[in-house]
Amino acid sequence: MDEDLLVVVVITGPVGAGKTTTSWALYDVLVDRQIPTALIDMDFLRTAFPQVTPFNSRLGMDNLAAIAPNYRKIGVRCFVVSDVVETPEQPLDYERAIPGAVVTVVRLNVPMETIAQRLRVRETPESLDWYLARAPVLQEIFESRGIGDVVIEVGERSPKEIALEIASRLELMQRG
């Protein structure tokens, strides 16, 4: 990765696609290569009550903009961000939050049956129906709006295998 390049890799996909797990795996791959990297899960940056906008999206971006300079001060050149990207314009929010960054959205394409299996394991009975209904809606949004600069077919591969493919396709494999 070019030492002067500031990169934001946004890992997206429907609920249950493995965004957070894949983001951690990509973070580990980049750290193993000594690339100064920050890992950010947007769910944590926008979790607050009261919820003032749907999913507190604006709050999340404001918080990202507030913390990004702190990461940059310590030399971070690559931000691995886990988030749901629903519009083709949303990457502009990351560019505003982290000025000068090149933003790439990586969409995880996972079969709905696999997502449903994952959700049945991880969700509570109270939340399961919402997540099972939301996943196909998001998948349709991604496909109809062409979300994802890079689309990764997940299949049965491990998170590390997916992360290595992302790093390779985005040319992040070189030492920082």
Side-chain angles (χ1 to χ4, degrees), residues 55-68:
F55 303 105
N56 273 341
S57 298
R58 182 75 275 143
L59 175 65
M61 285 299 168
D62 289 348
N63 285 339
L64 179 59
I67 66 172

mmCIF file with all atom_site columns, all heavy atoms in Angstrom, residues 55-68:
data_model
loop_
_atom_site.group_PDB
_atom_site.id
_atom_site.type_symbol
_atom_site.label_atom_id
_atom_site.label_alt_id
_atom_site.label_comp_id
_atom_site.label_asym_id
_atom_site.label_entity_id
_atom_site.label_seq_id
_atom_site.pdbx_PDB_ins_code
_atom_site.Cartn_x
_atom_site.Cartn_y
_atom_site.Cartn_z
_atom_site.occupancy
_atom_site.B_iso_or_equiv
_atom_site.pdbx_formal_charge
_atom_site.auth_seq_id
_atom_site.auth_comp_id
_atom_site.auth_asym_id
_atom_site.auth_atom_id
_atom_site.pdbx_PDB_model_num
ATOM 1   N N   . PHE A 1 55 ? -31.612 4.427  12.376 1.00 0.00 ? 55 PHE A N   1
ATOM 2   C CA  . PHE A 1 55 ? -30.339 3.780  12.680 1.00 0.00 ? 55 PHE A CA  1
ATOM 3   C C   . PHE A 1 55 ? -29.273 4.771  13.164 1.00 0.00 ? 55 PHE A C   1
ATOM 4   O O   . PHE A 1 55 ? -28.094 4.427  13.212 1.00 0.00 ? 55 PHE A O   1
ATOM 5   C CB  . PHE A 1 55 ? -29.824 2.974  11.478 1.00 0.00 ? 55 PHE A CB  1
ATOM 6   C CG  . PHE A 1 55 ? -30.794 1.933  11.002 1.00 0.00 ? 55 PHE A CG  1
ATOM 7   C CD1 . PHE A 1 55 ? -31.521 2.124  9.840  1.00 0.00 ? 55 PHE A CD1 1
ATOM 8   C CD2 . PHE A 1 55 ? -30.989 0.770  11.722 1.00 0.00 ? 55 PHE A CD2 1
ATOM 9   C CE1 . PHE A 1 55 ? -32.431 1.165  9.399  1.00 0.00 ? 55 PHE A CE1 1
ATOM 10  C CE2 . PHE A 1 55 ? -31.892 -0.198 11.292 1.00 0.00 ? 55 PHE A CE2 1
ATOM 11  C CZ  . PHE A 1 55 ? -32.616 0.007  10.128 1.00 0.00 ? 55 PHE A CZ  1
ATOM 12  N N   . ASN A 1 56 ? -29.642 5.993  13.490 1.00 0.00 ? 56 ASN A N   1
ATOM 13  C CA  . ASN A 1 56 ? -28.693 7.025  13.947 1.00 0.00 ? 56 ASN A CA  1
ATOM 14  C C   . ASN A 1 56 ? -27.517 7.200  12.979 1.00 0.00 ? 56 ASN A C   1
ATOM 15  O O   . ASN A 1 56 ? -26.367 7.403  13.380 1.00 0.00 ? 56 ASN A O   1
ATOM 16  C CB  . ASN A 1 56 ? -28.168 6.718  15.356 1.00 0.00 ? 56 ASN A CB  1
ATOM 17  C CG  . ASN A 1 56 ? -29.065 7.260  16.445 1.00 0.00 ? 56 ASN A CG  1
ATOM 18  O OD1 . ASN A 1 56 ? -29.890 8.139  16.223 1.00 0.00 ? 56 ASN A OD1 1
ATOM 19  N ND2 . ASN A 1 56 ? -28.922 6.709  17.637 1.00 0.00 ? 56 ASN A ND2 1
ATOM 20  N N   . SER A 1 57 ? -27.801 7.132  11.693 1.00 0.00 ? 57 SER A N   1
ATOM 21  C CA  . SER A 1 57 ? -26.752 7.193  10.662 1.00 0.00 ? 57 SER A CA  1
ATOM 22  C C   . SER A 1 57 ? -25.918 8.460  10.745 1.00 0.00 ? 57 SER A C   1
ATOM 23  O O   . SER A 1 57 ? -24.694 8.415  10.657 1.00 0.00 ? 57 SER A O   1
ATOM 24  C CB  . SER A 1 57 ? -27.377 7.072  9.275  1.00 0.00 ? 57 SER A CB  1
ATOM 25  O OG  . SER A 1 57 ? -28.005 5.827  9.154  1.00 0.00 ? 57 SER A OG  1
ATOM 26  N N   . ARG A 1 58 ? -26.571 9.610  10.890 1.00 0.00 ? 58 ARG A N   1
ATOM 27  C CA  . ARG A 1 58 ? -25.829 10.880 10.956 1.00 0.00 ? 58 ARG A CA  1
ATOM 28  C C   . ARG A 1 58 ? -24.903 10.895 12.164 1.00 0.00 ? 58 ARG A C   1
ATOM 29  O O   . ARG A 1 58 ? -23.762 11.335 12.089 1.00 0.00 ? 58 ARG A O   1
ATOM 30  C CB  . ARG A 1 58 ? -26.832 12.043 11.009 1.00 0.00 ? 58 ARG A CB  1
ATOM 31  C CG  . ARG A 1 58 ? -26.227 13.421 11.038 1.00 0.00 ? 58 ARG A CG  1
ATOM 32  C CD  . ARG A 1 58 ? -25.660 13.901 9.703  1.00 0.00 ? 58 ARG A CD  1
ATOM 33  N NE  . ARG A 1 58 ? -24.297 13.434 9.503  1.00 0.00 ? 58 ARG A NE  1
ATOM 34  C CZ  . ARG A 1 58 ? -23.766 13.043 8.340  1.00 0.00 ? 58 ARG A CZ  1
ATOM 35  N NH1 . ARG A 1 58 ? -24.469 13.045 7.254  1.00 0.00 ? 58 ARG A NH1 1
ATOM 36  N NH2 . ARG A 1 58 ? -22.535 12.621 8.243  1.00 0.00 ? 58 ARG A NH2 1
ATOM 37  N N   . LEU A 1 59 ? -25.396 10.425 13.311 1.00 0.00 ? 59 LEU A N   1
ATOM 38  C CA  . LEU A 1 59 ? -24.571 10.356 14.518 1.00 0.00 ? 59 LEU A CA  1
ATOM 39  C C   . LEU A 1 59 ? -23.328 9.514  14.263 1.00 0.00 ? 59 LEU A C   1
ATOM 40  O O   . LEU A 1 59 ? -22.220 9.893  14.646 1.00 0.00 ? 59 LEU A O   1
ATOM 41  C CB  . LEU A 1 59 ? -25.375 9.774  15.685 1.00 0.00 ? 59 LEU A CB  1
ATOM 42  C CG  . LEU A 1 59 ? -24.599 9.536  16.979 1.00 0.00 ? 59 LEU A CG  1
ATOM 43  C CD1 . LEU A 1 59 ? -24.108 10.842 17.566 1.00 0.00 ? 59 LEU A CD1 1
ATOM 44  C CD2 . LEU A 1 59 ? -25.462 8.762  17.970 1.00 0.00 ? 59 LEU A CD2 1
ATOM 45  N N   . GLY A 1 60 ? -23.490 8.374  13.610 1.00 0.00 ? 60 GLY A N   1
ATOM 46  C CA  . GLY A 1 60 ? -22.354 7.509  13.310 1.00 0.00 ? 60 GLY A CA  1
ATOM 47  C C   . GLY A 1 60 ? -21.297 8.213  12.477 1.00 0.00 ? 60 GLY A C   1
ATOM 48  O O   . GLY A 1 60 ? -20.099 8.133  12.768 1.00 0.00 ? 60 GLY A O   1
ATOM 49  N N   . MET A 1 61 ? -21.729 8.928  11.439 1.00 0.00 ? 61 MET A N   1
ATOM 50  C CA  . MET A 1 61 ? -20.767 9.632  10.578 1.00 0.00 ? 61 MET A CA  1
ATOM 51  C C   . MET A 1 61 ? -20.102 10.786 11.321 1.00 0.00 ? 61 MET A C   1
ATOM 52  O O   . MET A 1 61 ? -18.902 11.028 11.149 1.00 0.00 ? 61 MET A O   1
ATOM 53  C CB  . MET A 1 61 ? -21.439 10.128 9.298  1.00 0.00 ? 61 MET A CB  1
ATOM 54  C CG  . MET A 1 61 ? -21.713 9.036  8.306  1.00 0.00 ? 61 MET A CG  1
ATOM 55  S SD  . MET A 1 61 ? -20.185 8.234  7.756  1.00 0.00 ? 61 MET A SD  1
ATOM 56  C CE  . MET A 1 61 ? -20.865 6.815  6.919  1.00 0.00 ? 61 MET A CE  1
ATOM 57  N N   . ASP A 1 62 ? -20.866 11.487 12.150 1.00 0.00 ? 62 ASP A N   1
ATOM 58  C CA  . ASP A 1 62 ? -20.268 12.560 12.956 1.00 0.00 ? 62 ASP A CA  1
ATOM 59  C C   . ASP A 1 62 ? -19.212 11.992 13.906 1.00 0.00 ? 62 ASP A C   1
ATOM 60  O O   . ASP A 1 62 ? -18.132 12.586 14.082 1.00 0.00 ? 62 ASP A O   1
ATOM 61  C CB  . ASP A 1 62 ? -21.342 13.297 13.758 1.00 0.00 ? 62 ASP A CB  1
ATOM 62  C CG  . ASP A 1 62 ? -22.256 14.154 12.889 1.00 0.00 ? 62 ASP A CG  1
ATOM 63  O OD1 . ASP A 1 62 ? -21.940 14.373 11.700 1.00 0.00 ? 62 ASP A OD1 1
ATOM 64  O OD2 . ASP A 1 62 ? -23.309 14.596 13.410 1.00 0.00 ? 62 ASP A OD2 1
ATOM 65  N N   . ASN A 1 63 ? -19.514 10.847 14.515 1.00 0.00 ? 63 ASN A N   1
ATOM 66  C CA  . ASN A 1 63 ? -18.550 10.228 15.418 1.00 0.00 ? 63 ASN A CA  1
ATOM 67  C C   . ASN A 1 63 ? -17.317 9.742  14.661 1.00 0.00 ? 63 ASN A C   1
ATOM 68  O O   . ASN A 1 63 ? -16.188 9.880  15.148 1.00 0.00 ? 63 ASN A O   1
ATOM 69  C CB  . ASN A 1 63 ? -19.200 9.085  16.199 1.00 0.00 ? 63 ASN A CB  1
ATOM 70  C CG  . ASN A 1 63 ? -20.114 9.595  17.290 1.00 0.00 ? 63 ASN A CG  1
ATOM 71  O OD1 . ASN A 1 63 ? -20.004 10.732 17.733 1.00 0.00 ? 63 ASN A OD1 1
ATOM 72  N ND2 . ASN A 1 63 ? -21.050 8.760  17.708 1.00 0.00 ? 63 ASN A ND2 1
ATOM 73  N N   . LEU A 1 64 ? -17.512 9.204  13.459 1.00 0.00 ? 64 LEU A N   1
ATOM 74  C CA  . LEU A 1 64 ? -16.372 8.779  12.642 1.00 0.00 ? 64 LEU A CA  1
ATOM 75  C C   . LEU A 1 64 ? -15.478 9.980  12.323 1.00 0.00 ? 64 LEU A C   1
ATOM 76  O O   . LEU A 1 64 ? -14.249 9.898  12.443 1.00 0.00 ? 64 LEU A O   1
ATOM 77  C CB  . LEU A 1 64 ? -16.854 8.113  11.354 1.00 0.00 ? 64 LEU A CB  1
ATOM 78  C CG  . LEU A 1 64 ? -15.764 7.634  10.392 1.00 0.00 ? 64 LEU A CG  1
ATOM 79  C CD1 . LEU A 1 64 ? -14.851 6.616  11.055 1.00 0.00 ? 64 LEU A CD1 1
ATOM 80  C CD2 . LEU A 1 64 ? -16.402 7.064  9.124  1.00 0.00 ? 64 LEU A CD2 1
ATOM 81  N N   . ALA A 1 65 ? -16.094 11.089 11.937 1.00 0.00 ? 65 ALA A N   1
ATOM 82  C CA  . ALA A 1 65 ? -15.323 12.298 11.635 1.00 0.00 ? 65 ALA A CA  1
ATOM 83  C C   . ALA A 1 65 ? -14.562 12.792 12.869 1.00 0.00 ? 65 ALA A C   1
ATOM 84  O O   . ALA A 1 65 ? -13.455 13.321 12.747 1.00 0.00 ? 65 ALA A O   1
ATOM 85  C CB  . ALA A 1 65 ? -16.245 13.397 11.098 1.00 0.00 ? 65 ALA A CB  1
ATOM 86  N N   . ALA A 1 66 ? -15.144 12.607 14.044 1.00 0.00 ? 66 ALA A N   1
ATOM 87  C CA  . ALA A 1 66 ? -14.501 13.071 15.278 1.00 0.00 ? 66 ALA A CA  1
ATOM 88  C C   . ALA A 1 66 ? -13.302 12.210 15.671 1.00 0.00 ? 66 ALA A C   1
ATOM 89  O O   . ALA A 1 66 ? -12.311 12.731 16.189 1.00 0.00 ? 66 ALA A O   1
ATOM 90  C CB  . ALA A 1 66 ? -15.523 13.098 16.417 1.00 0.00 ? 66 ALA A CB  1
ATOM 91  N N   . ILE A 1 67 ? -13.370 10.911 15.428 1.00 0.00 ? 67 ILE A N   1
ATOM 92  C CA  . ILE A 1 67 ? -12.275 10.037 15.872 1.00 0.00 ? 67 ILE A CA  1
ATOM 93  C C   . ILE A 1 67 ? -11.201 9.820  14.806 1.00 0.00 ? 67 ILE A C   1
ATOM 94  O O   . ILE A 1 67 ? -10.068 9.479  15.142 1.00 0.00 ? 67 ILE A O   1
ATOM 95  C CB  . ILE A 1 67 ? -12.795 8.673  16.383 1.00 0.00 ? 67 ILE A CB  1
ATOM 96  C CG1 . ILE A 1 67 ? -13.437 7.862  15.256 1.00 0.00 ? 67 ILE A CG1 1
ATOM 97  C CG2 . ILE A 1 67 ? -13.726 8.866  17.555 1.00 0.00 ? 67 ILE A CG2 1
ATOM 98  C CD1 . ILE A 1 67 ? -13.795 6.443  15.655 1.00 0.00 ? 67 ILE A CD1 1
ATOM 99  N N   . ALA A 1 68 ? -11.536 10.005 13.540 1.00 0.00 ? 68 ALA A N   1
ATOM 100 C CA  . ALA A 1 68 ? -10.563 9.751  12.467 1.00 0.00 ? 68 ALA A CA  1
ATOM 101 C C   . ALA A 1 68 ? -9.257  10.534 12.657 1.00 0.00 ? 68 ALA A C   1
ATOM 102 O O   . ALA A 1 68 ? -8.172  9.956  12.469 1.00 0.00 ? 68 ALA A O   1
ATOM 103 C CB  . ALA A 1 68 ? -11.180 10.036 11.105 1.00 0.00 ? 68 ALA A CB  1
#
